[in-house]
Amino acid sequence: MNQVYLSDIPRLFTAAAEWCACLVFMLNRPRRFDGPRLWGVLGAGLAVQCLFLHLTDGLRIVLWLPCMAGAVGLMFLLLALCCDIPPLGAVYITAFAFLTAEFAASLEWQLWSYTRHLLGLEGGAGRTLLLSALFLAAVYAGVFFVMYWLQARRRDPDTALVFRPRELWPPVVISATCFLMSNLSFVYTDIPFTSPAIEGIYNIRTLIDLAGVAMLYACHIQRRELHAQRELDAMQNILQNQYVQYKQSRENIDVVNRKYHDLKHQIAVLRAEQDPQRRCDFLDGMEEEIRAYEAQNKTGNSVLDTVLTGKSLYCARHGIELTCVADGARLDFMDVMDICSIFGNVLDNAIECELTIPDRQRRLIHLAVYGKKDFLVIQCGNRCERELEFQDGLPLSTKGDGAYHGFGVRSIRWAAEKYGGTMTIHNRGGWFELNIVIPVKEPVV
């Protein structure tokens, strides 16, 4: 076997693999910009990566690790600049992308070197260069397409890239360890876990990189499943809490109703005992208020009535005007806990927003439930005097920790999607509006 087969991966090939890995890993991530600006930044990133690896080629072995660290740093900068993700999330993606690039470059060069030697293509530089470029494009396309397909099967939620520092240790350690072990034979050939034979060196490098990519993907799948389970647990806790609140509100309202019922009897006694017209008029007014209270929140759905009454009492104590026009009978097909979740979270979010408005005269919430053709429509609007930031169609949490807050809005969307519906949110002109549209089996008149 001649010396050509023993050559190492060209640095430009490694730079191309690292750039392609960055591109693949940012395709399913939120980006800071798109269009010509994005491709301009990507083009500049490719040029810088190629120039850096070309200029650092042939340096002493003691400078090899710092140069590779510099290449990883350039990948991190490119991902952090193009992707709208937290810095620690960019570190995680960089570790995954770097090891994937190492595997792609090692696999391509090993296959190409073997094929070139097998076919006797060492001569003819121009012809060999063209075939090498085609071979490079084919292998890289195959490797990175598989990686893209694995990622695109299920898009990760944005909050899955919110890391704590200690959560980064496993992927970073796996990536660094596999990289060092895969290249150890190029430095030492007479120690355990290395090979003096060039075929063994190539096999060790490619197979260890492949094992590292597999381990990182397994960790990624496990993290995604744990994140999904954590979201489901949080939503289930919200549902349970809403249901507990519903039962507590039901008991409180029963007590209030009994008190008002007793008050009506007291009014009747007072009317019989007091003759002055003014006192009679006063008592008539009290009785009218009681009748108005009894007529409140009679939507046709007892669960919605209970939720609304509890929220109405809270709004009254905090100077929030809550108006409601609801045909509760349209909700009969929904589960009790789903009704509690949707309306409890919708009103809780609206109330939380209104409490930030200093002027009590401007605090207003309006809720509407009605049918339109074959759809059930739920609308809730409230005044909002602050600008909200949106991500993935949902407002970002104002509680400071995007990983563990914002589940209320997600549970609303989850409950709507459970019945085949959709949820949209708009915030414009000082008015926040949430709309839920759910198809119904029977036409809604």
Side-chain angles (χ1 to χ4, degrees):
M1 194 164 292
N2 60 31
Q3 190 66 23
V4 176
Y5 181 66
L6 304 180
S7 62
D8 199 8
I9 305 172
R11 304 283 278 180
L12 293 181
F13 287 16
T14 301
E18 292 170 351
W19 182 84
C20 289
C22 290
L23 179 62
V24 167
F25 276 85
M26 72 172 60
L27 287 177
N28 291 320
R29 313 295 177 189
R31 293 184 289 275
R32 298 184 187 277
F33 38 76
D34 290 294
R37 185 181 177 188
L38 174 64
W39 288 106
V41 173
L42 289 174
L46 176 60
V48 172
Q49 197 81 11
C50 291
L51 182 62
F52 176 79
L53 289 180
H54 175 70
L55 294 177
T56 56
D57 191 13
L59 296 179
R60 296 168 55 188
I61 193 66
V62 70
L63 299 176
W64 175 65
L65 280 179
C67 290
M68 294 309 301
V72 175
L74 291 175
M75 294 178 68
F76 170 78
L77 290 177
L78 183 62
L79 287 167
L81 182 62
C82 295
C83 296
D84 188 13
I85 55 178
L88 294 182
V91 172
Y92 169 75
I93 295 178
T94 301
F96 206 156
F98 172 70
L99 197 58
T100 303
E102 284 291 306
F103 166 68
S106 179
L107 177 66
E108 188 279 332
W109 190 245
Q110 182 178 5
L111 294 177
W112 166 246
S113 298
Y114 178 79
T115 302
R116 180 179 56 180
H117 175 75
L118 186 66
L119 300 179
L121 298 176
E122 286 83 356
R127 178 166 167 261
T128 303
L129 182 62
L130 176 61
L131 290 176
S132 176
L134 293 175
F135 198 92
L136 176 79
V139 175
Y140 279 13
V143 171
F144 291 117
F145 174 78
V146 171
M147 185 56 63
Y148 171 75
W149 177 77
L150 290 174
Q151 291 186 89
R153 292 171 61 191
R154 180 181 172 187
R155 182 179 177 182
D156 300 326
D158 297 334
T159 51
L161 292 177
V162 178
F163 283 82
R164 294 187 179 94
R166 67 173 181 268
E167 294 176 328
L168 281 177
W169 280 110
V172 170
V173 169
I174 289 174
S175 181
T177 302
C178 289
F179 170 73
L180 293 175
M181 291 298 298
S182 67
N183 289 277
L184 190 60
S185 293
F186 289 93
V187 181
Y188 303 102
T189 60
D190 55 352
I191 64 173
F193 312 111
T194 63
S195 172
I198 192 65
E199 296 89 346
I201 293 175
Y202 273 72
N203 289 333
I204 289 173
R205 179 171 62 182
T206 302
L207 294 178
I208 288 182
D209 287 340
L210 175 60
V213 171
M215 285 188 289
L216 286 177
Y217 184 72
C219 290
H220 181 73
I221 293 297
Q222 184 182 39
R223 175 179 171 79
R224 186 167 62 187
E225 294 300 324
L226 290 174
H227 183 272
Q229 186 61 48
R230 187 171 61 188
E231 276 201 339
L232 289 176
D233 291 342
M235 291 181 182
Q236 188 62 36
N237 288 335
I238 291 174
L239 291 174
Q240 188 63 36
N241 290 336
Q242 291 290 344
Y243 187 63
V244 171
Q245 291 177 11
Y246 159 72
K247 292 194 295 183
Q248 292 175 346
S249 298
R250 185 80 187 186
E251 296 172 357
N252 293 337
I253 291 169
D254 288 341
V255 172
V256 173
N257 286 334
R258 287 197 298 270
K259 294 295 183 181
Y260 273 93
H261 184 72
D262 295 340
L263 183 59
K264 286 196 297 183
H265 289 292
Q266 295 173 8
I267 292 173
V269 172
L270 290 173
R271 179 180 287 113
E273 294 179 354
Q274 300 294 332
D275 294 331
Q277 185 63 37
R278 290 184 60 187
R279 181 56 61 87
C280 185
D281 292 340
F282 177 75
L283 293 175
D284 287 341
M286 291 180 60
E287 191 172 19
E288 183 63 28
E289 291 179 1
I290 293 174
R291 282 199 297 269
Y293 170 81
E294 290 179 336
Q296 252 182 350
N297 301 323
K298 301 299 182 181
T299 64
N301 184 285
S302 60
V303 180
L304 180 59
D305 292 344
T306 301
V307 174
L308 285 175
T309 302
K311 302 302 181 185
S312 297
L313 294 174
Y314 184 88
C315 288
R317 290 197 302 268
H318 292 82
I320 302 173
E321 182 181 354
L322 173 61
T323 62
C324 178
V325 178
D327 185 0
R330 305 296 184 187
L331 304 173
D332 290 343
F333 69 94
M334 297 180 66
D335 185 81
V336 171
M337 293 186 69
D338 293 330
I339 297 175
C340 293
S341 175
I342 290 177
F343 290 96
N345 281 299
V346 164
L347 292 173
D348 282 344
N349 290 338
I351 290 171
E352 181 182 351
C353 182
E354 296 310 291
L355 291 176
T356 63
I357 301 177
D359 186 1
R360 291 195 169 203
Q361 299 299 321
R362 293 183 53 79
R363 296 177 179 178
L364 174 62
I365 301 174
H366 179 68
L367 178 69
V369 180
Y370 59 92
K372 187 174 183 180
K373 295 185 178 180
D374 296 340
F375 297 93
L376 168 70
V377 181
I378 301 173
Q379 292 180 333
C380 183
N382 60 275
R383 284 201 174 96
C384 183
E385 297 184 347
R386 57 186 175 183
E387 291 295 329
L388 300 178
E389 296 182 11
F390 285 77
Q391 190 175 81
D392 194 23
L394 300 179
L396 292 176
S397 172
T398 59
K399 298 176 182 178
D401 187 350
Y404 300 103
H405 290 292
F407 287 116
V409 179
R410 292 195 190 106
S411 68
I412 297 170
R413 184 170 65 178
W414 181 80
E417 291 175 350
K418 175 181 176 181
Y419 297 95
T422 59
M423 182 193 75
T424 57
I425 296 176
H426 304 284
N427 181 32
R428 51 178 175 262
W431 186 256
F432 181 92
E433 185 171 281
L434 183 146
N435 296 284
I436 299 173
V437 179
I438 299 176
V440 294
K441 295 181 180 180
E442 298 181 359
V444 178
V445 181

